[in-house]
C-alpha cells in the first residue's frame, strides 16, 4: 500500500480528539505539497499555504472559487469528477498545469475524504506535488536514450542536446566543444545554442578558459563571477558571461575528447537534479563522438583499400603466369 493509499484511509475527524485534530492540521499545513479540499462542485473549501503558493494567490482569496479558475489544464475538472462518479481515488497523474504565471509539472492525486459526521456533503482532497525539476531531468534522460543515428544527421543529435541542456538549466548558452586532434590547445564548437538559436561552429583557444579547467579538473561549476576568474577569455567578456557549468567528454579509455557546458549572464541555479545530470550527458556525447570517429576511420580505410584496388598494376591481357618451383641453377622460363 502506497503512502497516498494510507492517507486516503484517514478520516476527516479524529473522534473529537482536539489534540489529534490540532496535530493533524499542523501537519497538513506544513507538508511541502499543495493541498486543497474541494466540495462536490469542485469549489475550494480550504487549502494549505503551499497550494496558495502554487497558484500565486492569497490563501484567504481562494475560498469558494472553482478549481479551474486557479489551475488551467484541459480535462482537469473531468479528472476530479471521475473520483466523485466512481467513488474511488486518483493517484500520481503527471500533468502540466498552468498557474497563470508559469507552467509546472505536477503529480496530481485526488482522494475522497471519509466523513464520519453523517453529512451528505462530499469532500475531495486534491494533492499537488511539484515535480517540475524532476520532470526536466527525466525528459533530459530521454534525450540521452535516443541514439544519434535516428536523426537526419549527427549534427541534429548534438544540436538537440545543447538545446535541451539550455532548457534544463534555464541558461542562455549551451555548447559542445571538441578538442582538435591536430592541435590539443584548440577546441572546435560542435554545436552552440545561444539565446534561442543555433550559431555556426568556430574554433577557439583553450588557454586561460574555464574549458581548459574542465578538461584538467574533470568538472567546473562557477555560479557567478566568472569574468573575474578568467579575465583573458575574450568570448566571456564579449557575451557578458557570469556563470558556468561544464563537464568533460571522456571516451572509453577515459581520455578527454571535448566538453559540454552551459553559461549565463546571471547566476546559474543548480539543484540536486541538474547537478548530477551534466556528467551523464557528457559521457553520452563522448560515446557518440567515439562512434562517429570509428565510423569515419573505417570509411577512410575503405576508401584507401578501394584506391589500392583501382590503381594497382594489372597483368598483360592474355598472359597467364606459369606455376611451379624453380630448381637451383634452372633458368627462368624452363
Amino acid at each position: 500500500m502506497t503512502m497516498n493509499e494510507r492517507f486516503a484511509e484517514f478520516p476527516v475527524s479524529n473522534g473529537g480528539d482536539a489534540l489529534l485534530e490540532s496535530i493533524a492540521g499542523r501537519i497538513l499545513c506544513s507538508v511541502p505539497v499543495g493541498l486543497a479540499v474541494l466540495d462536490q462542485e469542485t469549489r475550494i473549501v480550504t487549502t494549505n499555504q503551499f497550494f496558495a503558493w502554487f497558484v500565486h494567490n492569497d490563501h484567504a482569496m481562494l475560498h469558494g472559487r472553482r478549481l479551474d479558475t486557479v489551475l488551467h489544464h484541459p480535462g482537469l475538472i473531468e479528472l476530479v469528477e471521475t473520483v466523485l462518479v466512481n467513488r474511488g481515488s486518483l493517484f500520481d497523474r503527471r500533468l502540466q498545469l498552468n498557474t497563470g504565471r508559469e507552467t509546472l509539472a505536477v503529480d496530481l492525486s485526488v482522494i475522497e475524504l471519509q466523513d464520519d459526521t453523517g453529512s451528505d456533503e462530499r469532500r475531495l482532497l486534491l494533492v499537488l506535488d511539484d515535480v517540475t525539476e524532476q520532470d526536466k531531468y527525466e525528459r533530459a534522460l530521454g534525450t540521452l536514450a535516443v541514439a544519434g543515428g535516428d536523426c537526419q544527421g549527427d549534427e541534429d543529435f548534438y544540436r538537440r542536446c545543447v538545446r535541451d541542456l539550455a532548457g534544463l538549466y534555464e541558461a542562455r548558452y549551451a555548447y559542445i566543444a571538441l578538442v582538435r586532434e591536430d592541435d590539443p590547445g584548440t577546441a572546435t564548437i560542435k554545436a552552440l545554442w545561444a539565446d534561442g538559436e543555433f550559431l555556426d561552429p568556430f574554433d577557439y583557444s583553450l588557454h586561460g578558459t574555464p574549458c581548459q579547467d574542465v578538461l584538467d579538473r574533470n568538472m567546473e561549476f562557477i555560479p557567478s563571477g566568472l569574468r573575474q576568474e578568467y579575465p583573458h577569455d575574450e568570448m566571456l567578456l564579449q557575451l557578458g558571461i557570469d556563470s558556468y557549468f561544464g563537464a568533460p567528454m571522456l571516451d572509453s579509455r577515459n581520455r578527454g575528447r571535448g566538453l559540454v557546458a552551459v553559461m549565463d549572464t546571471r547566476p546559474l541555479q543548480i539543484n540536486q537534479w541538474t547537478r548530477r545530470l551534466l556528467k551523464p550527458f557528457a559521457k553520452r556525447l563522448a560515446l557518440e563522438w567515439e562512434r562517429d570517429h570509428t565510423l569515419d576511420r573505417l570509411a577512410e580505410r575503405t576508401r584507401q583499400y578501394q584506391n589500392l584496388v583501382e590503381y594497382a598494376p594489372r597483368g598483360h591481357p592474355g598472359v597467364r603466369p606459369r606455376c611451379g618451383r624453380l630448381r637451383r641453377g634452372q633458368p627462368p622460363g624452363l
Side-chain angles (χ1 to χ4, degrees):
M1 182 179 292
T2 66
M3 183 176 294
N4 278 335
E5 289 168 336
R6 294 193 189 98
F7 190 64
E9 296 178 353
F10 279 29
V12 174
S13 171
N14 286 287
D17 190 318
L19 176 60
L20 285 178
E21 290 183 359
S22 175
I23 294 173
R26 291 177 182 176
I27 292 173
L28 292 178
C29 287
S30 63
V31 291
V33 294
L35 301 175
V37 177
L38 310 176
D39 65 14
Q40 56 195 20
E41 303 298 329
T42 70
R43 291 188 297 263
I44 296 174
V45 176
T46 187
T47 73
N48 68 350
Q49 290 292 343
F50 276 94
F51 186 89
W53 174 80
F54 262 106
V55 298
H56 305 286
N57 213 316
D58 183 78
H59 178 267
M61 298 296 293
L62 293 172
H63 178 73
R65 295 182 60 178
R66 273 180 56 95
L67 181 65
D68 56 358
T69 66
V70 296
L71 287 176
H72 310 286
H73 176 81
L76 176 62
I77 295 299
E78 288 77 4
L79 276 175
V80 174
E81 289 178 342
T82 58
V83 177
L84 287 168
V85 172
N86 300 324
R87 293 186 175 273
S89 299
L90 178 72
F91 295 115
D92 297 332
R93 181 70 64 88
R94 181 70 58 87
L95 300 176
Q96 301 288 326
L97 288 182
N98 190 313
T99 66
R101 294 188 186 179
E102 59 190 338
T103 299
L104 300 174
V106 301
D107 281 343
L108 169 73
S109 297
V110 184
I111 306 158
E112 183 167 7
L113 295 172
Q114 298 178 14
D115 188 355
D116 59 359
T117 65
S119 172
D120 292 333
E121 290 288 331
R122 299 175 67 185
R123 296 286 186 266
L124 298 175
L125 178 64
L126 187 83
V127 183
L128 294 178
D129 188 9
D130 184 4
V131 292
T132 304
E133 297 303 327
Q134 179 182 347
D135 186 67
K136 289 181 181 179
Y137 179 79
E138 291 171 355
R139 285 188 285 112
L141 288 180
T143 298
L144 294 184
V146 178
D150 76 327
C151 303
Q152 296 299 317
D154 297 328
E155 296 296 332
D156 288 346
F157 176 72
Y158 293 116
R159 285 189 163 199
R160 184 168 60 185
C161 283
V162 294
R163 182 196 62 202
D164 289 354
L165 274 174
L168 175 69
Y169 289 95
E170 298 180 355
R172 293 180 62 182
Y173 304 96
Y175 66 90
I176 296 165
L178 301 177
V179 178
R180 286 179 46 173
E181 293 187 78
D182 60 339
D183 182 5
T186 302
T188 300
I189 297 291
K190 183 75 172 177
L192 171 61
W193 178 261
D195 283 332
E197 62 180 356
F198 296 107
L199 300 186
D200 294 333
F202 61 90
D203 289 354
Y204 71 99
S205 173
L206 290 169
H207 179 70
T209 68
C211 302
Q212 183 62 65
D213 288 340
V214 167
L215 295 169
D216 293 340
R217 302 175 187 172
N218 202 30
M219 181 169 273
E220 188 82 350
F221 174 45
I222 302 175
S224 62
L226 185 68
R227 283 170 290 172
Q228 287 72 32
E229 292 203 32
Y230 298 92
H232 303 297
D233 190 325
E234 294 184 3
M235 183 175 68
L236 300 182
L237 295 174
Q238 290 175 0
L239 298 177
I241 301 299
D242 185 58
S243 54
Y244 179 98
F245 188 30
M249 294 167 52
L250 303 177
D251 65 13
S252 57
R253 298 183 180 180
N254 210 39
R255 295 174 298 187
R257 296 300 187 177
L259 62 111
V260 58
V262 292
M263 307 185 300
D264 209 306
T265 55
R266 56 175 176 76
L268 284 170
Q269 302 298 319
I270 305 296
N271 58 40
Q272 62 169 331
W273 300 106
T274 54
R275 179 179 290 274
R276 66 188 187 187
L277 182 63
L278 198 60
K279 275 192 175 181
F281 243 102
K283 184 62 177 178
R284 175 66 180 84
L285 289 165
L287 293 176
E288 188 67 21
W289 174 89
E290 199 164 18
R291 182 187 73 91
D292 294 343
H293 193 61
T294 300
L295 291 176
D296 289 343
R297 286 190 300 174
L298 180 61
E300 179 60 28
R301 290 179 181 178
T302 300
R303 284 193 294 269
Q304 292 175 355
Y305 174 75
Q306 290 173 341
N307 289 337
L308 285 174
V309 172
E310 183 177 353
Y311 295 108
R314 292 175 172 84
H316 192 277
V319 177
R320 189 173 60 185
R322 298 178 59 182
C323 299
R325 181 181 302 172
L326 291 176
R327 296 177 183 175
R328 186 181 300 272
Q330 183 180 7
L334 299 178

